[in-house]
């Protein structure tokens, strides 16, 4: 079973080596790594090309300006040849060497499953040994999406056929940016297009998912979705819009409850 890993890069020279090294350390060989670079002006592309021979034909590099992270993901997914697709951001890395093996085994053992997911954890950007927050997907249930909860998207591996089944008609989305023929993620959302995709597939589409109790990805803190009050306000706006457009009942009070739970995750990180 081939697994396609999509990595969007833009001026990621400080972190992309960790990402690439973590893929090379995987003990599962049937994968491809699709690098979608948005036209980096630093050494990102040079680093990726330096590593390319070590992947022995399993790396694709696509470099051209794009409309941002979700557009890059769309382009990467469209070119993926694997039966299963996962996202690995260019400032993140796999927590252990058996992630892809675990993913493949789960899909092979449960052929009726559309997607699997696990846990991730956030670390300090300047010291990746320092835990900031542990994001467990264990408690997630479909109904919790009304409150803004979702599985940890960096741990989410989905069949390519499911991406195709739930692809949007980009020509009908006001303000959509990017190639309308590969609108897996709705790029008219500023931050929470991943939540939108998961609501459409898990809550509305009721795809069959399975949780694996495993820490998949180590994430540096400071990304677009965890970089201050303004980003959280934007996330709430995006969540409200997604739930409204998908005809899922929610309200601002429901969504606020998610932050109570996040306080507990942060406290766990400090205790650890």
């Amino acid at each position: 079973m081939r697994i396609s890993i999509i990595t969007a890069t833009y001026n990621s020279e400080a972190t992309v080596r960790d990402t690439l090294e973590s893929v090379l350390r995987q003990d599962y060989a049937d994968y491809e790594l699709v690098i979608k670079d948005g036209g980096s002006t630093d050494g990102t592309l040079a680093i990726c090309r330096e590593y390319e021979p070590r992947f022995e034909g399993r790396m694709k590099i696509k470099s051209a300006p794009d409309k941002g992270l979700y557009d890059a993901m769309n382009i990467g997914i469209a070119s993926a040849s694997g039966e299963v697709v996962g996202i690995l951001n260019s400032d993140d890395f796999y927590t252990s060497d058996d992630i892809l093996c675990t993913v493949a085994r789960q899909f092979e053992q449960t052929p009726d499953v559309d997607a699997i997911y696990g846990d991730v954890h956030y670390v300090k950007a300047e010291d990746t040994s320092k835990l900031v927050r542990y994001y467990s997907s264990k408690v997630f249930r479909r109904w919790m999406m009304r409150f803004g909860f979702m599985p940890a998207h960096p741990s989410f591996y989905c069949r390519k056929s499911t991406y195709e089944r739930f692809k949007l008609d980009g020509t009908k989305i006001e303000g959509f940016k990017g190639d309308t023929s590969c609108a897996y993620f709705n790029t008219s959302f500023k931050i929470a297009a991943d939540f939108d995709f998961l609501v459409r597939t898990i809550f509305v589409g009721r795809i069959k998912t399975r949780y694996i109790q495993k820490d998949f990805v180590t994430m540096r803190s400071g990304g677009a979705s965890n970089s201050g009050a303004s980003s959280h306000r934007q996330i709430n706006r995006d969540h409200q819009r997604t739930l409204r457009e998908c005809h899922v009942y929610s309200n601002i009070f429901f969504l606020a409850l998610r932050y109570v739970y996040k306080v507990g995750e942060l406290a766990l990180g400090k205790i650890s």
Side-chain angles (χ1 to χ4, degrees), residues 19 68 77 84 92 98 116-117 122 130 191 264:
T19 306
I77 294 168
V84 172
D92 303 338
D98 62 345
I116 66 168
Y117 56 86
Y122 293 87
K130 300 293 186 182
I191 295 180

Side-chain angles (χ1 to χ4, degrees), residues 59-272:
M59 178 194 280
K60 298 178 185 176
I61 301 176
K62 302 169 72 68
S63 181
D66 52 48
K67 303 296 191 299
L69 175 62
Y70 294 115
D71 185 36
M73 288 181 181
N74 282 341
I75 294 168
I77 294 168
S79 67
S81 65
E83 182 181 343
V84 172
V85 177
I87 307 292
L88 182 64
N89 293 324
S90 60
D91 50 0
D92 303 338
F93 53 91
Y94 288 124
T95 302
S96 60
D97 300 344
D98 62 345
I99 303 302
L100 296 184
C101 182
T102 300
V103 169
R105 184 187 306 117
Q106 186 63 64
F107 277 108
E108 289 166 354
Q109 291 177 349
T110 52
D112 59 331
V113 164
D114 298 298
I116 66 168
Y117 56 86
D119 303 338
V120 302
H121 74 282
Y122 293 87
V123 295
K124 290 187 175 182
E126 65 279 8
D127 184 353
T128 58
S129 68
K130 300 293 186 182
L131 176 66
V132 174
R133 174 190 170 203
Y134 192 89
Y135 184 163
S136 175
S137 301
K138 184 175 183 178
V139 300
F140 174 77
R141 299 294 182 273
R142 183 180 283 113
W143 59 266
M144 296 173 71
M145 302 195 90
R146 296 182 187 274
F147 298 84
F149 286 95
M150 66 179 186
H153 188 248
S155 75
F156 189 82
Y157 282 76
C158 183
R159 295 189 187 275
K160 175 74 180 289
S161 59
T162 302
Y163 272 108
E164 295 298 334
R165 183 155 50 104
F166 288 92
K167 184 165 59 176
L168 299 164
D169 182 350
T171 63
K172 295 182 179 179
I173 300 171
E174 183 177 354
F176 185 87
K177 297 178 181 179
D179 184 349
T180 58
S181 67
C182 56
Y184 308 103
F185 293 100
N186 185 342
T187 63
S188 68
F189 286 94
K190 293 184 177 180
I191 295 180
D194 48 357
F195 180 73
D196 173 73
F197 174 75
L198 294 177
V199 169
R200 287 188 283 112
T201 54
I202 296 176
F203 194 100
V204 179
R206 302 186 73 81
I207 65 171
K208 187 167 184 180
T209 63
R210 177 155 296 186
Y211 166 71
I212 298 175
Q213 191 168 347
K214 188 175 185 63
D215 181 2
F216 278 45
V217 175
T218 301
M219 304 177 64
R220 290 177 172 87
S221 56
S225 63
N226 54 84
S227 55
S230 61
S231 70
H232 290 299
R233 286 193 294 270
Q234 184 61 57
I235 288 171
N236 278 330
R237 286 192 289 268
D238 284 357
H239 283 190
Q240 289 177 69
R241 177 186 156 196
T242 290
L243 294 166
R244 181 177 65 252
E245 291 180 354
C246 291
H247 307 291
V248 178
Y249 176 74
S250 185
N251 57 55
I252 190 63
F253 302 106
F254 279 14
L255 295 174
L257 292 174
R258 181 170 64 100
Y259 290 96
V260 177
Y261 183 79
K262 286 181 71 171
V263 168
E265 290 180 327
L266 290 167
L268 179 61
K270 290 177 181 178
I271 292 170
S272 302

